[in-house]
Amino acid sequence: FFNDTATTEIYTEQIVGSVRCVQETGVHGVKRELFVHLMQEPERKVRHFVSDAIGEIAGTLLSDAETINQSEWPDFIQTLFQYHGTNTTESFDGTLKILTNVLNYSWEMFQPHNNELFQLFKNGLEYNNADVKLSAIQAFTTWLSVLETKECKHYEQLLPSMLKAIVDLLNENEYQGCLLYTSPSPRDS
């Protein structure tokens, strides 16, 4: 997929048509630059595309490993939580979008992080931004869909927050509410 000795270029086309090129050497530079680009990107739609790309790349790199330390991105979870720790609405939304994609590939890597995920979902469901609430619902439902039923018990106290977030989205914006019903489940693939 990637070669550490090769020079890799990533092109991101913004809505207005301008193209930016980030050039780094190897897979490590690409991974680092994706997060840097995500933090600096002003356009919401482009941030969502970059978040999706990070999630897909991380999922692919993590899915073949038995443990995170044996993967091609051993510091991914730490980097993801650090990115979330920048405490902006954009980083919160991006973290949840990335998480949704990664969970489709390598959810097992996140099992040791139940407490952090619980707090992330709780904060996202109760956040005062519709995009973050929607992303939290999508990440939370993806997480629940990959867990065994008995493991979901840990998260049942978040259900009232999720229902409130859904009602808030439906009341605030019908389009956002409709998006709730168009998200594919990892088991549908």
Side-chain angles (χ1 to χ4, degrees), residues 25-151:
T25 303
V27 67
H28 298 295
V30 170
K31 294 181 296 192
R32 180 179 50 254
E33 281 302 312
L34 282 170
F35 271 102
V36 168
H37 182 72
L38 187 57
M39 287 189 277
Q40 296 172 348
E41 179 55 54
E43 295 289 331
R44 181 178 142 281
K45 198 166 192 172
V46 174
R47 277 195 314 273
H48 287 183
F49 288 132
V50 175
S51 296
D52 287 344
I54 292 171
E56 293 292 323
I57 291 169
T60 301
L61 294 176
L62 299 177
S63 66
D64 294 333
E66 288 186 33
T67 68
I68 188 82
N69 292 331
Q70 295 171 342
S71 76
E72 293 184 57
W73 200 341
D75 63 340
F76 172 74
I77 294 174
Q78 175 187 354
T79 303
L80 183 64
F81 285 133
Q82 285 174 346
Y83 172 64
H84 167 63
T86 60
N87 293 324
T88 66
T89 299
E90 294 79 16
S91 68
F92 203 172
D93 187 41
T95 298
L96 292 164
K97 287 198 168 303
I98 293 166
L99 185 61
T100 300
N101 284 333
V102 172
L103 292 175
N104 287 313
Y105 294 95
S106 54
W107 60 273
E108 300 92 348
M109 302 284 183
F110 287 88
Q111 283 187 305
H113 302 279
N114 271 316
N115 293 334
E116 292 97 331
L117 289 175
F118 181 92
Q119 199 59 48
L120 182 72
F121 296 140
K122 180 181 185 321
N123 292 344
L125 293 168
E126 296 172 355
Y127 205 74
N128 64 358
N129 177 280
D131 288 331
V132 172
K133 283 182 184 180
L134 178 61
S135 295
I137 291 168
Q138 291 169 334
F140 183 49
T141 56
T142 301
W143 179 241
L144 291 178
S145 73
V146 297
L147 293 178
E148 296 291 326
T149 305
K150 65 182 182 209
E151 295 171 313

